[in-house]
Amino acid sequence: MFYHDKQLQYTVRVDTPSPVFAKMLQQAIGGVEGEIRVCLQYLFQSFGARGPAKYRDMLMETGTEEIGHIQMLATAVAMNLEGAPNFLKEAMAKADPMLAATLGGMDPRQYLSAGMAALPADSNGVPFDASHVYASGNLAADMYSNVAAEATGRALACRLFEMTDDPGMKDMLRFLIARDTMHQQQWLAVIEELGGHPGSLPIPNSFPQDEELTEYSYDFFATGIEGVDPPAGRYTEGPSLDG
Amino acid sequence: MFYHDKQLQYTVRVDTPSPVFAKMLQQAIGGVEGEIRVCLQYLFQSFGARGPAKYRDMLMETGTEEIGHIQMLATAVAMNLEGAPNFLKEAMAKADPMLAATLGGMDPRQYLSAGMAALPADSNGVPFDASHVYASGNLAADMYSNVAAEATGRALACRLFEMTDDPGMKDMLRFLIARDTMHQQQWLAVIEELGGHPGSLPIPNSFPQDEELTEYSYDFFATGIEGVDPPAGRYTEGPSLDG
Amino acid sequence: MFYHDKQLQYTVRVDTPSPVFAKMLQQAIGGVEGEIRVCLQYLFQSFGARGPAKYRDMLMETGTEEIGHIQMLATAVAMNLEGAPNFLKEAMAKADPMLAATLGGMDPRQYLSAGMAALPADSNGVPFDASHVYASGNLAADMYSNVAAEATGRALACRLFEMTDDPGMKDMLRFLIARDTMHQQQWLAVIEELGGHPGSLPIPNSFPQDEELTEYSYDFFATGIEGVDPPAGRYTEGPSLDG
Amino acid sequence: MFYHDKQLQYTVRVDTPSPVFAKMLQQAIGGVEGEIRVCLQYLFQSFGARGPAKYRDMLMETGTEEIGHIQMLATAVAMNLEGAPNFLKEAMAKADPMLAATLGGMDPRQYLSAGMAALPADSNGVPFDASHVYASGNLAADMYSNVAAEATGRALACRLFEMTDDPGMKDMLRFLIARDTMHQQQWLAVIEELGGHPGSLPIPNSFPQDEELTEYSYDFFATGIEGVDPPAGRYTEGPSLDG
Amino acid sequence: MFYHDKQLQYTVRVDTPSPVFAKMLQQAIGGVEGEIRVCLQYLFQSFGARGPAKYRDMLMETGTEEIGHIQMLATAVAMNLEGAPNFLKEAMAKADPMLAATLGGMDPRQYLSAGMAALPADSNGVPFDASHVYASGNLAADMYSNVAAEATGRALACRLFEMTDDPGMKDMLRFLIARDTMHQQQWLAVIEELGGHPGSLPIPNSFPQDEELTEYSYDFFATGIEGVDPPAGRYTEGPSLDG
Amino acid sequence: MFYHDKQLQYTVRVDTPSPVFAKMLQQAIGGVEGEIRVCLQYLFQSFGARGPAKYRDMLMETGTEEIGHIQMLATAVAMNLEGAPNFLKEAMAKADPMLAATLGGMDPRQYLSAGMAALPADSNGVPFDASHVYASGNLAADMYSNVAAEATGRALACRLFEMTDDPGMKDMLRFLIARDTMHQQQWLAVIEELGGHPGSLPIPNSFPQDEELTEYSYDFFATGIEGVDPPAGRYTEGPSLDG
Ligand SMILES: [Ca+2]
Ligand SMILES: [Ca+2]
Ligand SMILES: [Ca+2]
Ligand SMILES: [Ca+2]
Ligand SMILES: [Ca+2]
Ligand SMILES: [Ca+2]
């Protein structure tokens, strides 16, 4: 069961509202790398967990944290849209290039559909689609899905950080970037607990090896023709990672 | 910010696991009438609220409750899938009509993608799409969106109730149906606080009436030809609802 | 069976074409609050109606009217795009901020995919998705879904009205806003015919009350911790709405 | 503007209701080859037409006809679901393979979401997505999109015909198949009016030929290696179709 | 099985990077008229072909060619985004209308999600949806679906050509337009091999004519009222196209 | 540029066609864990690569291999549908529970839309949606997205293996499972080349550490109340993984 209090997990402050940045922030809410995705992903992994209670519980801890990240970002969007309706009317009416330009950089649905608030959609207005909630029932597979989500999520947050000069927004992103750093390590720590590469690969490792055509399991297949050499690397030489 | 404990809001118990019912329950999780939808809808209405704090806070209270409904239903799905993998193997292998029939009534992705757990999708496996999160920034419009969600949601829960004979499942649904009863009244009570029909209609009531072509605002337009009479009713006669 | 004539339901006139407004208007065509949605919603409610013929017929009347609203808005989009191809070429070629700004505010697919015409998509170019057609088979639930559609639809139309200074567009919106006013009352009038709150709640009211856990049906559940008081209101006190 | 009467375009009759066939019919309503698609496609092509009024008007004629096809099929679905709720309860409760099998062949949302009625979705329950409405603003391109829609639509109707033994359903499909035959020819007749292949190819034929790299315009490119010969045919030899 | 080399099918060169054009090009990659669609469409038609090997093989030839068109366009997008990150930072920071305008014309996800690269999405950022892969198992129907795809695809490419002044981009489009010219004729040549209209219509022509209600197969149905005459044309007079 | 030959990468053989298994196989074609996804993911990562040519080239090698996996699985679907049309007619007509049960386990669109062939959709008929193509422009993030894809993909293939007794299908899956084993290690080998955890974490590692609020970067946040202890593990103790 779930509860809330009246706090945000970390202060959200906008010094200079920017409706263009309000559109960009949508990616971190409803984008495939965003907070709705990780929130539902961790919660569904927890709800469906059939393995050790420890991981089920840890997933619930962090899934619950992520609800608060959606809240922080939605709050940030609303703050960046402060004053936008008046702005919109002016932008449509006046032949002022700066206003018109800003209008072009806005998400029209933040006004038309939401009355100046965040949408559960990405920065192009594409609604969040829950097929991105990866919860496979295999712990190692799920941990790598989670690392992937936090890695693309942190890349996104860093790019948002580079796009704004607003001190308040930069501060909020510094916090969210730090949480992504933590979460990347948290999921990789589970892989380590499972024994690292030797203990977890191949995923799933419950499949009987004698059923697999292992002569194809350690071979890089080149598909290039006419003098295209397969690029050499750790994947073409050395011992296999799973021992 | 959000928290959790280790309880479900109400006991979830399955007496006889039914993978067919596990598929049906998906509609109440990820369907357009389901719990993910109301959860995100109330939370986004709260996150974006610019009006009285009272309604923002109330939406947060109930949005948080709904997370727990997702949890209950996801738990119910997992319980209904207990033993399903063995079942699946038998169903594929043996020419037993009863097994084959059950296989036909299952959601293959509950096994193939989720390892016998719930998906954030509907009973046909269509993933939840967050464009169903209606949060318009207009309080009265949002309340009617919420009534609509709880009315279709309760209709769904009642239909699920009729489809199962499992005492545990029936008991869980009795509880969820009761919560839908409450939530329908909760949102309609806000309309009453706004002054009922006279106080809230037309929605939004901030639009200046002299800008509206009011000669078209109280007229039923018939589109039938060749002797099709418009059906008479409260909408074709009597005083208008908004006074 | 359906018919048409060569008239629009109301004059559509654009004094100064605006490709930026052509993009905004898309929300009223293919958005979740738009005319394709209400059109299909009322028609499917009518097609599937198993109750009194009167409501089936009324839904057909208004569903048919809504096809004409799609037509009006699609016509308005095409008129707002008049001259746009030449404009586009100039905007791409010249370093003129006003042209470039307008380009940024346009929907590229209105040109690239439709040759300067309307799309069945919203103002972000997201195609209409018919899962928004709510037709539950329960009359009261459907009426509330319809009120919700017309309430968010009228909020949208009012916001579009505020964004344009074009007298022709304002006139068209004055008409559409009036029709939304009518339709909101039309669906609420059905609820009144059903006996208002006492006669319709809870929805559906065919579910046997002794099967419901009614001790949970009239209780506001607080999910706040650490001094978060549930906000008091009509929903926490007074007699229940369903009597 | 649009109108309706109380008739169906052609009688719809079901002799023996089949909930399994009710699911199959969904493909003809909300599938990519279905009636919602052609209806909206012809209407949007008409709404956006900038060429000769003749084709704009013809598209409106047939677009309006197609609304009636949606109506016929939705009616057929409802008739095939007659008695289904009782059936569902029995199917869930009794260990009767025939009932269970039928349950597996049903669309659960026709009951859970629609109360035994048609949905604007395909036979897998995937909602209709209006990106399938092809209306390019180029007449010849649109005519070929329409032929493609009616060709896949008639293939679908013929396959549905083969799947049912119900005399009423067969009769309805005989009619719809005939209308598809007509519509295929109707769109191809426009190509003939445009001058057939020489008069319409390449599409669009307004693009200046000296801007095209015509040395690549009449060449079949083979991508096979290791002795894969490109298959010879009319496309590798003979005069080009556009003269 | 598939192979590649290190060449593009035709040179891709951008003289002056334009992030606005990078957004427009997305329509040709992931739009419904784009290269991912035709690539998968021809490949799936080939994979599923049950008729003459000749057409199965030809479809494979051209399906493979189209992978290279995705590659060319994705390369073009990346080139048009050269330098964009620095540009973005400046655009957000400075009150320069030209920069702000360009920002408004960009696809934010090309940076936020892809780090300045192409997405498998359209020019509004809507991801490609594989329901647009028409592969019906009927050769004539598929050929018309292919003509429709190449006709709308060439219309799109010509519109993109008109929007750019970049010599490199114009050159690439000249090539792609030429390939579309070829492919339109290639699919129509198959229709000719099948015997043209008499040999292929109605599609499918395997359905027994005595099962069809042929009295409705050659009739234009008018749906206009109040003096709307059906527009006369080749489709209302003359011999039917199928002989 | 791309090429093909007439071979499959590995033999595909079906001993006893099963239309139910044909539906299951769809998940491996068009599911989120399927081959279309990895194919497009690796190709788009390669097309957009701005880093070392070595990884761009390797991604192209394997992206090309994956096209062949789509081909193998689509071939397997078609083989499993051999004889299905006759079967369908019988299943609809006769009251034979075994036939009816099989019908319930089939994907109707494999027949209705594709004429007994594979669709680019998942096992519930939901079309592939290219938003699952993760290509972030950050090499380490992309490698983890690839590991996640191959881990969930191999879990899926192992589950399909368990569901079939067909020797041909088992043999094909043995091969595909082996390739997934290889690909998991291939992407993890790149992480190793980047220096393992210390060399790659946090992702992206280009973000200046002094901009991050590192006091939150190594802390497990507990969100449980009322005696919910955060579960201890490698993520709550020991040195951080990034050194
Ligand atoms: Ca987070
Ligand atoms: Ca609930
Ligand atoms: Ca309307
Ligand atoms: Ca039709
Ligand atoms: Ca092409
Ligand atoms: Ca593979």
Side-chain angles (χ1 to χ4, degrees):
Chain A
M1 195 166 12
F2 297 84
Y3 305 91
H4 71 282
D5 63 20
K6 294 208 167 184
Q7 311 303 313
L8 295 176
Q9 201 189 11
Y10 188 81
T11 313
V12 174
R13 200 185 79 235
V14 173
D15 293 76
T16 311
S18 162
V20 175
F21 200 60
K23 174 179 173 166
M24 301 293 169
L25 284 170
Q26 285 290 154
Q27 193 64 29
I29 296 174
V32 297
E33 319 88 345
E35 303 288 353
I36 297 179
R37 186 258 182 112
V38 287
C39 173
L40 289 178
Q41 184 158 306
Y42 304 159
L43 290 178
F44 270 80
Q45 287 177 8
S46 180
F47 296 157
R50 291 177 187 271
K54 167 181 169 178
Y55 299 122
R56 182 198 65 203
D57 292 350
M58 183 188 74
L59 285 158
M60 178 76 75
E61 298 278 348
T62 306
T64 305
E65 180 185 357
E66 303 289 5
I67 315 172
H69 294 183
I70 307 173
Q71 182 185 28
M72 286 172 63
L73 285 158
T75 303
V77 165
M79 286 177 173
N80 273 294
L81 292 169
E82 209 58 65
N86 290 331
F87 167 79
L88 269 171
K89 281 181 237 177
E90 283 184 63
M92 292 294 290
K94 294 184 191 168
D96 176 335
M98 200 61 210
L99 289 179
T102 306
L103 183 67
M106 293 176 64
D107 177 344
R109 290 195 63 219
Q110 287 182 336
Y111 177 53
L112 295 178
S113 294
M116 292 303 161
L119 296 158
D122 75 10
S123 59
N124 280 321
V126 177
F128 178 69
D129 157 7
S131 64
H132 286 271
V133 173
Y134 286 82
S136 72
N138 177 289
L139 184 62
D142 284 357
M143 291 304 109
Y144 279 118
S145 294
N146 295 356
V147 175
E150 296 284 350
T152 51
R154 195 172 175 278
L156 168 62
C158 294
R159 287 165 183 168
L160 288 168
F161 184 90
E162 289 176 27
M163 288 179 73
T164 182
D165 281 330
D166 188 88
M169 283 295 91
K170 276 189 170 311
D171 193 44
M172 177 191 78
L173 289 165
R174 275 187 191 101
F175 173 79
L176 290 172
I177 288 167
R179 296 311 296 151
D180 290 350
T181 297
M182 172 61 197
H183 292 157
Q184 289 176 11
Q185 307 205 36
Q186 181 173 335
W187 311 127
L188 286 168
V190 176
I191 297 289
E192 207 172 279
E193 289 193 344
L194 297 175
H197 291 341
S200 62
L201 294 181
I203 301 169
N205 60 10
S206 55
F207 189 72
Q209 283 305 291
D210 59 340
E211 293 279 23
E212 185 165 346
L213 295 177
T214 46
E215 64 268 38
Y216 302 110
S217 300
Y218 302 97
D219 230 25
F220 186 89
F221 282 10
T223 57
I225 56 167
E226 302 181 31
V228 179
D229 288 326
R234 181 63 188 80
Y235 39 86
T236 50
E237 52 203 34
S240 72
L241 276 73
D242 58 2
Chain B
M1 196 167 12
F2 297 84
Y3 305 91
H4 72 283
D5 63 18
K6 295 209 167 185
Q7 310 305 311
L8 295 175
Q9 201 189 11
Y10 188 82
T11 313
V12 174
R13 198 187 80 237
V14 173
D15 293 77
T16 312
S18 162
V20 175
F21 200 60
K23 174 179 173 166
M24 301 294 167
L25 284 170
Q26 284 291 153
Q27 192 65 27
I29 296 174
V32 298
E33 318 90 344
E35 303 289 352
I36 297 179
R37 186 257 182 114
V38 287
C39 172
L40 289 177
Q41 184 158 306
Y42 304 159
L43 290 178
F44 271 80
Q45 287 177 8
S46 180
F47 296 159
R50 291 177 186 272
K54 168 182 168 177
Y55 298 121
R56 182 198 62 203
D57 292 351
M58 183 187 74
L59 285 159
M60 178 76 75
E61 297 278 350
T62 306
T64 306
E65 179 185 357
E66 303 289 6
I67 315 172
H69 295 182
I70 307 173
Q71 181 185 28
M72 285 171 62
L73 285 158
T75 303
V77 165
M79 285 177 174
N80 273 294
L81 292 169
E82 209 59 64
N86 290 330
F87 167 80
L88 269 171
K89 280 181 239 176
E90 283 183 64
M92 293 294 291
K94 293 184 191 168
D96 175 337
M98 202 62 213
L99 289 179
T102 306
L103 183 67
M106 293 177 63
D107 177 344
R109 291 195 62 219
Q110 287 182 335
Y111 176 53
L112 295 178
S113 293
M116 291 304 158
L119 296 158
D122 74 11
S123 60
N124 280 321
V126 176
F128 178 70
D129 158 6
S131 64
H132 286 271
V133 174
Y134 287 81
S136 71
N138 178 287
L139 184 62
D142 284 357
M143 290 306 108
Y144 279 118
S145 294
N146 295 355
V147 175
E150 296 284 353
T152 51
R154 194 170 175 279
L156 167 62
C158 293
R159 288 164 182 166
L160 288 168
F161 184 90
E162 289 177 26
M163 288 179 74
T164 181
D165 281 330
D166 189 90
M169 284 295 91
K170 275 187 171 312
D171 193 44
M172 177 190 78
L173 289 164
R174 276 188 190 100
F175 173 80
L176 291 172
I177 287 167
R179 296 312 296 151
D180 290 349
T181 296
M182 171 62 197
H183 292 158
Q184 289 176 10
Q185 307 207 36
Q186 182 173 334
W187 311 127
L188 285 168
V190 176
I191 296 290
E192 208 172 279
E193 288 194 344
L194 296 176
H197 291 342
S200 61
L201 296 181
I203 301 170
N205 59 10
S206 55
F207 188 73
Q209 282 306 289
D210 59 340
E211 293 279 24
E212 185 166 344
L213 294 177
T214 45
E215 64 266 39
Y216 301 110
S217 301
Y218 301 98
D219 231 24
F220 186 88
F221 282 10
T223 56
I225 55 169
E226 303 182 28
V228 179
D229 287 324
R234 182 62 189 81
Y235 38 87
T236 50
E237 53 203 35
S240 72
L241 275 72
D242 57 3
Chain C
M1 196 168 10
F2 295 84
Y3 305 91
H4 72 284
D5 63 18
K6 294 208 165 184
Q7 311 304 313
L8 295 176
Q9 201 190 10
Y10 188 80
T11 314
V12 174
R13 199 186 78 236
V14 173
D15 294 76
T16 311
S18 161
V20 175
F21 200 61
K23 173 179 173 166
M24 301 294 168
L25 285 169
Q26 284 291 153
Q27 192 65 28
I29 296 174
V32 297
E33 319 89 344
E35 303 289 352
I36 297 179
R37 186 256 183 115
V38 286
C39 172
L40 290 177
Q41 184 158 306
Y42 303 159
L43 290 178
F44 270 80
Q45 287 178 7
S46 181
F47 297 158
R50 291 177 187 272
K54 168 182 168 177
Y55 298 122
R56 183 198 62 204
D57 293 349
M58 184 187 74
L59 285 158
M60 178 76 74
E61 298 278 348
T62 306
T64 305
E65 179 185 357
E66 303 288 7
I67 315 172
H69 294 183
I70 307 174
Q71 182 186 26
M72 285 172 62
L73 285 158
T75 303
V77 165
M79 285 178 173
N80 273 293
L81 292 169
E82 209 58 64
N86 290 331
F87 167 80
L88 269 170
K89 281 180 238 176
E90 283 184 62
M92 294 294 291
K94 295 183 190 168
D96 176 336
M98 201 62 210
L99 289 179
T102 306
L103 184 67
M106 293 176 65
D107 176 344
R109 289 195 63 220
Q110 287 182 334
Y111 177 53
L112 295 178
S113 294
M116 292 302 161
L119 296 158
D122 75 11
S123 60
N124 280 321
V126 176
F128 178 70
D129 157 8
S131 64
H132 286 271
V133 174
Y134 286 82
S136 71
N138 177 289
L139 184 62
D142 284 356
M143 290 305 108
Y144 279 118
S145 294
N146 295 355
V147 175
E150 297 284 349
T152 51
R154 195 171 174 279
L156 168 61
C158 293
R159 287 164 182 166
L160 288 169
F161 184 89
E162 288 177 25
M163 288 179 74
T164 183
D165 281 329
D166 189 88
M169 283 295 91
K170 275 187 170 314
D171 193 46
M172 177 190 77
L173 289 164
R174 275 186 191 101
F175 173 80
L176 291 172
I177 287 166
R179 296 312 295 152
D180 290 351
T181 297
M182 172 61 197
H183 292 157
Q184 289 175 12
Q185 307 205 37
Q186 182 173 334
W187 311 127
L188 286 168
V190 176
I191 297 289
E192 208 172 279
E193 289 193 344
L194 296 175
H197 291 342
S200 61
L201 295 180
I203 300 169
N205 58 11
S206 56
F207 188 73
Q209 283 304 291
D210 59 339
E211 294 279 23
E212 185 166 346
L213 295 175
T214 46
E215 64 266 40
Y216 302 110
S217 299
Y218 301 97
D219 229 24
F220 185 87
F221 282 11
T223 57
I225 56 169
E226 303 181 28
V228 179
D229 288 325
R234 181 65 187 80
Y235 37 87
T236 51
E237 52 203 35
S240 72
L241 274 74
D242 58 1
Chain D
M1 198 169 8
F2 297 83
Y3 305 91
H4 72 282
D5 62 19
K6 294 207 166 186
Q7 311 304 313
L8 295 175
Q9 202 188 11
Y10 188 81
T11 312
V12 174
R13 198 186 79 238
V14 172
D15 294 76
T16 312
S18 161
V20 175
F21 200 59
K23 173 178 175 168
M24 300 295 167
L25 285 169
Q26 284 291 151
Q27 192 65 27
I29 296 175
V32 297
E33 319 89 343
E35 303 289 351
I36 297 179
R37 186 258 182 113
V38 287
C39 173
L40 289 177
Q41 184 158 305
Y42 305 159
L43 290 178
F44 271 80
Q45 287 177 7
S46 180
F47 296 158
R50 291 176 188 272
K54 167 183 169 177
Y55 298 121
R56 183 198 63 205
D57 292 350
M58 184 187 74
L59 285 159
M60 179 76 75
E61 298 277 349
T62 306
T64 306
E65 180 185 355
E66 303 288 6
I67 315 172
H69 294 183
I70 306 174
Q71 181 185 28
M72 285 171 62
L73 285 158
T75 303
V77 165
M79 285 178 174
N80 273 293
L81 293 168
E82 210 58 65
N86 289 330
F87 167 80
L88 270 171
K89 279 180 237 177
E90 282 183 64
M92 294 294 290
K94 295 184 189 166
D96 175 336
M98 201 62 212
L99 289 179
T102 307
L103 184 67
M106 292 178 65
D107 176 344
R109 290 195 63 221
Q110 287 182 335
Y111 177 54
L112 295 178
S113 294
M116 291 304 159
L119 297 157
D122 75 10
S123 59
N124 280 321
V126 176
F128 178 70
D129 158 7
S131 64
H132 285 271
V133 174
Y134 286 82
S136 72
N138 178 287
L139 184 62
D142 284 357
M143 290 305 108
Y144 279 118
S145 294
N146 296 355
V147 175
E150 296 284 350
T152 51
R154 195 171 175 278
L156 168 62
C158 293
R159 288 164 182 166
L160 287 168
F161 184 90
E162 289 177 27
M163 287 178 75
T164 182
D165 281 330
D166 188 88
M169 284 294 91
K170 276 189 171 309
D171 193 44
M172 177 191 77
L173 289 164
R174 276 188 190 101
F175 173 79
L176 291 172
I177 287 167
R179 295 312 295 152
D180 290 350
T181 296
M182 172 61 197
H183 291 158
Q184 289 176 11
Q185 306 206 37
Q186 182 173 334
W187 312 126
L188 286 168
V190 176
I191 297 290
E192 207 172 282
E193 288 193 344
L194 297 175
H197 291 342
S200 62
L201 296 181
I203 300 170
N205 59 11
S206 55
F207 189 73
Q209 283 305 290
D210 59 339
E211 293 279 24
E212 184 165 346
L213 295 177
T214 45
E215 64 267 38
Y216 301 110
S217 300
Y218 302 97
D219 229 25
F220 186 89
F221 282 11
T223 57
I225 56 169
E226 301 181 30
V228 179
D229 288 324
R234 181 64 188 82
Y235 38 87
T236 50
E237 53 203 35
S240 71
L241 275 72
D242 58 2
Chain E
M1 196 168 11
F2 297 84
Y3 306 90
H4 72 282
D5 63 19
K6 294 208 167 185
Q7 310 304 313
L8 295 175
Q9 202 190 9
Y10 188 81
T11 314
V12 174
R13 201 186 77 237
V14 172
D15 293 78
T16 311
S18 161
V20 175
F21 200 60
K23 175 180 173 165
M24 301 295 168
L25 285 170
Q26 284 291 155
Q27 193 64 28
I29 296 175
V32 297
E33 319 89 344
E35 303 289 353
I36 297 179
R37 186 256 183 115
V38 287
C39 172
L40 289 178
Q41 184 158 306
Y42 304 159
L43 290 178
F44 270 80
Q45 287 177 7
S46 181
F47 296 158
R50 291 178 188 272
K54 168 181 168 178
Y55 299 121
R56 183 198 63 204
D57 292 349
M58 184 187 73
L59 285 159
M60 178 76 75
E61 298 278 348
T62 306
T64 306
E65 179 185 356
E66 302 290 4
I67 315 173
H69 294 183
I70 307 173
Q71 182 185 28
M72 285 172 62
L73 284 158
T75 304
V77 165
M79 285 178 173
N80 273 293
L81 292 169
E82 209 58 65
N86 290 331
F87 167 79
L88 269 171
K89 281 181 237 175
E90 282 184 65
M92 292 294 290
K94 295 184 189 167
D96 175 336
M98 201 62 212
L99 288 180
T102 306
L103 183 66
M106 293 177 64
D107 177 344
R109 290 195 63 220
Q110 287 182 336
Y111 177 53
L112 295 178
S113 293
M116 291 305 159
L119 296 158
D122 76 11
S123 60
N124 279 322
V126 176
F128 178 70
D129 157 7
S131 65
H132 286 270
V133 173
Y134 286 82
S136 71
N138 177 289
L139 183 62
D142 284 356
M143 289 306 108
Y144 279 118
S145 293
N146 295 356
V147 174
E150 296 285 351
T152 51
R154 195 171 175 278
L156 168 62
C158 293
R159 287 164 182 167
L160 288 168
F161 184 89
E162 288 177 27
M163 286 180 74
T164 182
D165 281 329
D166 189 89
M169 283 295 91
K170 275 188 171 310
D171 193 44
M172 177 190 77
L173 288 165
R174 275 187 190 101
F175 173 80
L176 290 172
I177 287 167
R179 295 312 295 151
D180 289 350
T181 297
M182 172 60 197
H183 291 158
Q184 288 176 11
Q185 306 206 36
Q186 181 173 335
W187 311 126
L188 285 168
V190 176
I191 297 289
E192 208 173 279
E193 288 193 345
L194 296 176
H197 291 342
S200 61
L201 296 181
I203 300 170
N205 59 11
S206 56
F207 188 73
Q209 283 305 290
D210 59 340
E211 294 278 23
E212 185 166 345
L213 295 176
T214 45
E215 64 267 38
Y216 301 110
S217 301
Y218 302 97
D219 230 25
F220 186 88
F221 282 11
T223 58
I225 55 168
E226 303 181 28
V228 179
D229 287 326
R234 180 66 187 81
Y235 38 87
T236 51
E237 53 204 33
S240 71
L241 275 73
D242 58 2
Chain F
M1 197 167 11
F2 296 84
Y3 305 91
H4 72 283
D5 63 18
K6 294 208 166 185
Q7 310 305 312
L8 295 175
Q9 201 188 10
Y10 188 81
T11 312
V12 175
R13 198 185 78 238
V14 173
D15 293 76
T16 311
S18 162
V20 175
F21 200 61
K23 174 179 174 167
M24 301 293 168
L25 285 170
Q26 285 291 152
Q27 193 64 27
I29 296 175
V32 298
E33 319 89 344
E35 302 289 352
I36 297 179
R37 186 258 182 112
V38 288
C39 172
L40 289 177
Q41 184 158 306
Y42 304 159
L43 290 178
F44 270 80
Q45 287 178 6
S46 181
F47 297 157
R50 291 176 187 272
K54 167 182 168 178
Y55 298 121
R56 183 197 62 204
D57 292 350
M58 183 186 74
L59 284 159
M60 178 76 76
E61 297 278 349
T62 306
T64 305
E65 180 185 356
E66 302 289 6
I67 315 172
H69 293 182
I70 307 173
Q71 182 185 28
M72 285 171 63
L73 284 158
T75 302
V77 165
M79 285 178 173
N80 273 294
L81 293 168
E82 209 58 67
N86 290 329
F87 167 80
L88 270 171
K89 280 180 239 177
E90 283 183 63
M92 293 294 290
K94 295 184 190 165
D96 175 336
M98 201 62 211
L99 288 179
T102 307
L103 184 67
M106 293 177 64
D107 177 344
R109 290 195 63 220
Q110 287 182 335
Y111 177 53
L112 295 178
S113 294
M116 291 304 160
L119 296 157
D122 74 11
S123 59
N124 280 321
V126 176
F128 178 70
D129 158 5
S131 64
H132 286 271
V133 174
Y134 287 82
S136 71
N138 177 286
L139 184 61
D142 284 356
M143 291 304 108
Y144 279 118
S145 294
N146 296 355
V147 175
E150 296 284 350
T152 51
R154 195 170 175 280
L156 167 62
C158 293
R159 288 164 182 166
L160 288 168
F161 184 90
E162 288 177 28
M163 286 178 74
T164 183
D165 281 329
D166 189 88
M169 284 295 91
K170 276 189 171 310
D171 193 45
M172 178 191 77
L173 289 164
R174 277 187 189 100
F175 173 79
L176 291 171
I177 288 167
R179 296 312 295 151
D180 290 350
T181 297
M182 172 61 199
H183 292 158
Q184 289 176 11
Q185 306 206 36
Q186 182 174 334
W187 311 126
L188 286 169
V190 175
I191 297 290
E192 208 173 278
E193 288 193 344
L194 296 175
H197 291 342
S200 62
L201 295 181
I203 300 170
N205 60 10
S206 55
F207 189 73
Q209 282 306 288
D210 59 341
E211 294 278 25
E212 185 166 345
L213 295 176
T214 45
E215 64 267 38
Y216 302 110
S217 300
Y218 302 98
D219 231 25
F220 185 88
F221 282 10
T223 57
I225 57 170
E226 301 181 29
V228 179
D229 288 325
R234 182 62 188 82
Y235 38 87
T236 51
E237 52 203 35
S240 72
L241 275 73
D242 58 3

